[in-house]
Amino acid sequence: IIADTLQGLFVGLHGLFSRKNMGYLNGVSFSLFVSRLEELKGMSVAALTNIHSQHGITLGLYNYTDQLHGIQVGLWNVAKNKKHFKKLPFINFNFRKRRMPV
């Protein structure tokens, strides 16, 4: 599945992809291999998740996000916006609110 904006429940065999700086998912996605999105508000299940801004839950073998606001569950989890423990096995989480620019 390749799309710009998705709302609801999505099941893809190979993957769920979005165009750079455009793909938003509000809902739940299940994919066998890859879930690559600009923004997630909901849940994504895939072997590899690569999400720029995550607000919700990802379940996968390898989870990567630039902005984590939620939970990652998998063998290896990376959240670039955390101050400490950016890379953790099994579970990674961040519930801190975003700082507003001054």
Side-chain angles (χ1 to χ4, degrees):
I1 299 172
I2 300 174
D4 293 335
T5 302
L6 301 167
Q7 294 185 9
L9 173 66
F10 296 90
V11 179
L13 180 61
H14 293 289
L16 177 65
F17 299 93
S18 68
R19 297 181 188 150
K20 188 171 182 158
N21 299 324
M22 294 177 75
Y24 302 95
L25 170 65
N26 295 319
V28 179
S29 73
F30 296 95
S31 175
L32 190 58
F33 295 111
V34 178
S35 181
R36 183 171 294 155
L37 299 165
E38 183 66 23
E39 184 173 350
L40 167 71
K41 290 184 179 176
M43 183 171 125
S44 179
V45 178
L48 166 69
T49 62
N50 184 342
I51 298 168
H52 175 70
S53 179
Q54 175 187 328
H55 301 268
I57 300 170
T58 56
L59 303 171
L61 298 176
Y62 177 79
N63 300 304
Y64 176 90
T65 185
D66 292 320
Q67 297 290 320
L68 175 61
H69 304 282
I71 301 171
Q72 299 174 314
V73 178
L75 291 180
W76 194 246
N77 306 289
V78 179
K80 294 302 240 179
N81 68 318
K82 289 182 65 176
K83 192 171 185 178
H84 304 289
F85 304 109
K86 293 181 181 196
K87 301 174 184 177
L88 289 172
F90 308 118
I91 191 164
N92 201 350
F93 56 89
N94 185 16
F95 299 112
R96 299 178 97 188
K97 298 199 187 247
R98 283 193 242 184
R99 290 186 176 177
M100 299 302 287
V102 179

